[in-house]
């Protein structure tokens, strides 16, 4: 049976999530126990089974509170089984441009083979880049206003010629057509010099910067082509860069492997180094000595608990930081259609390879059988985009039943393909990490909300940072 | 309530009727892009 609720204990607090409404309740131990039995209508059974553990009057009171929640639509809300309301035909609303399939680092866990994606090292020409933007606007469907373009690689700063040409083209189109095209770039920071910094600031490019936290971890994992550590160089650049934009519109992200399962230290190292919009991601690798495996899970769960407490502690001391995965808006999250449509890879989000070929997303670039067409001929593979679009949580076997389905939106197709050769077969380890992080996030937001409620503010008014500030 | 504190005003069911405009940003979940689960997002409307 499809789960309707999910409950968990985190740091001595009991939390109940009503899956189909999204309501989050902080409950006591008695309600926690009742919810093992209660199905909405079996009050007598609850009374009978728990009468030895709790006073009768308390149980009655608890049950009446639960019925109150049901009436408010915040417990056992009805299943959501509607098909996504998004358009039938694939639309293009965001692109990832592989502007440089080449890189100046040799990160140990790189999925793109040092930026080349198993292909020749090559860079995208300005013509291909600009044509890709035209392609997006020609295929976006009617009346779309918001678009996103990500400069990716390899290392995008290695091809500023194309980046600049594309940005110029974007600004012209924004003026001419009244659209908004948000530009982002993901960079390793090696080439983040004064000139590039100024250009990125002048052109409103949001930037994701990569480091792995502690110096020794970073230097081990992210050497340059000659095998030298890069921590000092990139951190100096990042500092200058973030100061130059007054701490706005950036994200610092890292990757952890089985060599730093104590990654809380890395997150805190980033914060101590003066950065406060942070993320730390589990590496996704198959058959690698760095890979995360099932046997690491208990240790990783413990680490997320540590990170959660460290996060709250700094927050309560008035020197908090944003941690991407804890950053969740429990009241104003996206609509059901969005939650069902997931990442959009292959039907609203596409990656453009250096030569103009289209793939479902950056991770699929160069993967056998996943080329969808090109920016010149359009999507020639008609079947695959449909398959991607329909691979949402209601069609993925494991997701349909999973309590996290409306938060997670079905996981990463590329990971599913990597591990199972099928984008509808969930990558199990990813699911376990996802669910743990979600519990921590729900707990964090619940605690912060409670603290605000105690200070007299209304529920639903707490704030969270946007994706990239 | 004595045993339960509800900490949010959930909008999931309501959004079945009002949602679907599709103006929101893509939400890649892969590590290399800072996995953005939809749970992390806010609505653009
Ligand atoms: S991908 Fe995994 S965690 Fe996410 S909804 Fe599906 S089964 Fe649940
Ligand atoms: S398939 Fe995975 S890597 Fe690709 S866009 Fe979706 S979540 Fe991101």
């Amino acid at each position: 049976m499809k789960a309707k609720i999910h409950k968990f204990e985190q740091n001595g607090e009991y939390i109940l999530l009503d899956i189909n409404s999204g309501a989050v309740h902080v409950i006591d131990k008695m309600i926690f126990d009742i919810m093992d039995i209660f199905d909405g209508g079996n009050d007598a059974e609850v009374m009978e089974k728990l009468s030895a553990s709790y006073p009768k009057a308390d149980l009655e009171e608890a049950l009446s509170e639960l019925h109150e929640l049901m009436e408010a639509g915040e417990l056992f809300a009805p299943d959501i089984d509607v098909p996504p309301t998004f358009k039938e035909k694939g639309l293009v609303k965001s692109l990832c441009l592989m502007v440089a399939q080449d890189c100046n680092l040799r990160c140990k866990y790189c999925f793109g083979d040092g930026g080349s994606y198993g292909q020749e090292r090559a860079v995208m020409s300005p013509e291909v880049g600009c044509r890709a933007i035209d392609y997006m606007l020609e295929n976006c469907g009617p009346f779309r206003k918001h678009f996103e373009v990500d400069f990716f690689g390899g290392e995008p700063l290695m091809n500023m010629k194309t980046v600049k040409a594309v940005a110029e083209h974007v600004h012209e189109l924004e003026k001419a057509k009244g659209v908004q095209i948000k530009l982002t770039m993901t960079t390793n920071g090696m080439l983040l010099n004064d000139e590039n910094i100024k250009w990125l600031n002048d052109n409103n490019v949001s930037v994701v910067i990569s480091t792995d936290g502690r110096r020794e971890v970073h230097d081990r994992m992210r050497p340059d082509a000659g095998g030298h550590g890069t921590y000092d160089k990139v951190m100096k650049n990042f500092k200058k860069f973030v100061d130059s934009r007054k701490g706005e519109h950036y994200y610092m992200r890292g990757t952890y492997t089985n060599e730093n399962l104590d990654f809380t230290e890395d997150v805190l190292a980033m914060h101590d180094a003066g950065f406060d919009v942070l993320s730390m991601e589990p590496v996704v690798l198959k058959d690698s000595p760095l890979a995360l495996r099932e046997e690491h899970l208990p240790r990783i769960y413990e680490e997320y608990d540590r990170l959660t407490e460290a996060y709250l502690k700094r927050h309560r001391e008035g020197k908090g930081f944003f941690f991407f995965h804890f950053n969740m808006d429990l009241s104003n999250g996206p609509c059901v259609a969005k939650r069902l449509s997931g990442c959009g890879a292959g039907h609203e989000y596409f990656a453009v390879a250096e030569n103009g070929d289209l793939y479902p997303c950056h991770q699929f670039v160069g993967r056998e059988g996943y080329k969808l067409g090109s920016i010149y001929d359009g999507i020639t593979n008609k079947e695959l985009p449909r398959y991607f679009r329909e691979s949402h949580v209601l069609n993925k076997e494991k997701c349909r039943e999973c309590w996290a389905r409306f938060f997670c939106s079905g996981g990463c197709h590329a990971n599913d393909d990597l591990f199972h050769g099928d984008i509808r077969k969930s990558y199990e380890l990813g699911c376990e990490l996802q669910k743990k992080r979600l519990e921590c996030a729900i707990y964090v937001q619940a605690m912060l909300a409670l603290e605000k409620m105690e200070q007299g503010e209304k529920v639903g008014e707490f704030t969270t940072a946007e994706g990239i500030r | 309530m004595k045993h339960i504190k509800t900490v949010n005003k959930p909008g999931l069911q309501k959004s079945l009727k009002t949602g679907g405009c599709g103006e929101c940003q893509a939400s890649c979940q892969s590590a290399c892009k800072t996995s953005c689960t939809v749970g992390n997002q806010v609505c653009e409307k």
Side-chain angles (χ1 to χ4, degrees):
Chain A
M1 203 189 92
K2 241 190 222 180
K4 284 195 174 263
I5 59 149
H6 176 66
K7 64 190 179 83
F8 59 97
E9 188 188 346
Q10 179 80 29
N11 199 29
E13 298 285 348
Y14 298 96
I15 294 185
L16 172 65
L17 166 73
D18 184 50
I19 297 169
N20 291 318
S21 68
V24 175
H25 312 288
V26 179
I27 56 179
D28 61 15
K29 177 76 168 57
M30 176 172 56
I31 300 268
F32 194 79
D33 292 340
I34 290 176
M35 291 311 292
D36 282 330
I37 306 165
F38 189 55
D39 66 8
N42 58 346
D43 298 38
E45 189 187 344
V46 172
M47 296 299 294
E48 191 196 312
K49 289 201 168 135
L50 291 179
S51 58
S53 319
Y54 297 102
K56 186 164 170 271
D58 287 1
L59 285 171
E60 279 169 353
E61 188 177 60
L63 281 167
S64 97
E65 290 188 9
L66 288 171
H67 281 284
E68 227 178 283
L69 290 188
M70 284 167 62
E71 268 156 46
E74 294 178 352
L75 180 63
F76 300 132
D79 276 336
I80 293 175
D81 281 324
V82 290
T85 50
F86 282 171
K87 299 287 173 297
E88 262 304 293
K89 195 168 158 286
L91 303 171
V92 189
K93 69 184 202 184
S94 54
L95 287 183
C96 179
L97 302 184
M98 315 302 281
V99 287
Q101 287 183 219
D102 193 359
C103 194
N104 43 13
L105 293 191
R106 294 292 178 271
C107 303
K108 297 270 164 55
Y109 41 64
C110 182
F111 70 91
D113 301 320
S116 68
Y117 291 80
Q119 302 170 330
E120 290 284 304
R121 292 185 182 277
V123 295
M124 180 181 280
S125 68
E127 293 71 39
V128 169
C130 292
R131 172 67 204 138
I133 306 299
D134 294 340
Y135 173 80
M136 176 171 76
L137 292 186
E138 285 160 15
N139 292 280
C140 66
F143 316 122
R144 166 161 294 281
K145 192 166 182 297
H146 296 97
F147 297 86
E148 297 137 56
V149 172
D150 191 26
F151 297 113
F152 204 69
E155 172 49 42
L157 289 179
M158 288 176 79
N159 186 8
M160 277 308 275
K161 188 170 152 213
T162 295
V163 168
K164 285 180 178 169
V166 169
E168 208 169 293
H169 191 49
V170 158
H171 298 322
E172 280 164 15
L173 288 168
E174 283 183 321
K175 268 197 219 106
K177 304 198 174 213
V179 292
Q180 281 171 20
I181 304 178
K182 190 170 149 198
L183 298 175
T184 57
M185 177 184 282
T186 305
T187 177
N188 63 29
M190 291 294 281
L191 298 173
L192 212 44
N193 55 26
D194 290 342
E195 190 191 333
N196 286 336
I197 289 175
K198 181 171 185 322
W199 186 87
L200 289 165
N201 290 346
D202 290 346
N203 286 273
N204 299 324
V205 182
S206 293
V207 180
V208 178
I209 54 185
S210 300
T211 162
D212 284 347
R214 283 167 293 182
R215 173 197 304 272
E216 58 278 19
V217 178
H218 181 106
D219 279 345
R220 195 166 63 232
M221 288 298 150
R222 304 181 64 81
D224 65 15
H228 311 290
T230 55
Y231 181 86
D232 287 323
K233 173 153 191 181
V234 302
M235 288 305 266
K236 199 170 125 238
N237 290 349
F238 288 156
K239 193 87 197 91
K240 203 186 322 169
F241 169 66
V242 169
D243 286 346
S244 78
R245 44 176 64 196
K246 305 192 178 50
E248 303 223 314
H249 305 293
Y250 82 97
Y251 231 103
M252 176 173 269
R253 59 161 308 286
T255 303
Y256 68 86
T257 69
N258 70 34
E259 291 189 5
N260 59 323
L261 295 178
D262 57 345
F263 54 84
T264 300
E265 301 307 324
D266 294 296
V267 176
L268 297 181
M270 292 177 188
H271 190 214
D272 292 339
F275 303 91
D276 62 1
V277 189
L278 311 175
S279 177
M280 187 49 108
E281 307 280 345
V283 77
V284 179
L285 286 172
K286 204 178 164 183
D287 308 325
S288 153
L290 298 173
L292 302 175
R293 293 184 298 273
E294 206 183 323
E295 75 239 35
H296 298 125
L297 279 175
R299 179 67 191 84
I300 297 174
Y301 293 161
E302 207 181 291
E303 197 59 23
Y304 277 114
D305 291 339
R306 273 186 74 209
L307 180 58
T308 303
E309 290 315 308
Y311 173 93
L312 282 172
K313 180 164 180 282
R314 291 202 174 183
H315 185 89
R316 286 170 180 143
E317 287 166 352
K319 43 177 195 191
F321 57 90
F322 287 104
F323 183 68
F324 196 73
H325 295 298
F326 295 168
N327 211 2
M328 176 186 286
D329 192 329
L330 294 176
S331 293
N332 300 310
C335 64
V336 169
K338 171 67 184 173
R339 290 174 192 255
L340 290 177
S341 73
C343 66
H347 62 106
E348 44 180 54
Y349 167 63
F350 299 87
V352 183
E354 145 279 315
N355 60 2
D357 285 349
L358 286 164
Y359 287 91
C361 82
H362 55 291
Q363 288 226 47
F364 284 102
V365 171
R367 271 195 211 179
E368 197 57 34
Y370 281 104
K371 184 181 155 184
L372 299 178
S374 85
I375 52 170
Y376 300 104
D377 312 326
I379 303 281
T380 43
N381 183 334
K382 301 283 178 207
E383 277 311 302
L384 218 43
R386 190 212 311 258
Y387 191 67
F388 270 83
R389 190 175 60 248
E390 289 173 0
S391 296
H392 51 67
V393 286
L394 300 179
N395 281 338
K396 286 176 100 160
E397 196 188 327
K398 275 189 72 193
C399 306
R400 222 171 15 227
E401 318 273 312
C402 175
W403 70 263
R405 58 189 179 269
F406 294 123
F407 290 98
C408 158
S409 79
C412 167
H413 301 314
N415 294 349
D416 297 350
D417 175 63
L418 179 69
F419 281 84
H420 298 303
D422 182 349
I423 64 168
R424 292 202 183 168
K425 293 220 170 81
S426 306
Y427 160 51
E428 296 85 356
L429 195 83
C431 294
E432 294 315 312
L433 297 178
Q434 169 74 283
K435 288 185 281 189
K436 179 64 189 173
R437 287 188 312 217
L438 283 170
E439 286 187 354
C440 293
I442 291 170
Y443 164 80
V444 160
Q445 294 305 335
M447 290 306 112
L448 296 180
L450 276 187
E451 283 163 27
K452 284 206 167 180
M453 279 156 79
E454 273 155 26
Q455 291 159 15
E457 287 176 47
K458 270 212 306 263
V459 174
E461 289 191 349
F462 45 98
T463 50
T464 43
E466 299 162 35
I468 293 183
R469 285 191 301 167
Chain B
M1 287 197 222
K2 237 172 92 186
H3 307 276
I4 304 172
K5 290 189 200 95
T6 303
V7 298
N8 63 343
K9 280 260 157 284
L12 256 189
Q13 294 277 337
K14 200 176 89 200
S15 81
L16 272 174
K17 298 197 186 71
T18 57
C21 74
E23 287 287 345
C24 40
Q25 75 178 71
S27 36
C28 172
Q29 306 196 25
S30 87
C32 48
K33 286 221 172 177
T34 282
S35 45
C36 177
T37 61
V38 289
N40 299 113
Q41 290 198 322
V42 286
C43 178
E44 281 285 341
K45 266 196 191 172

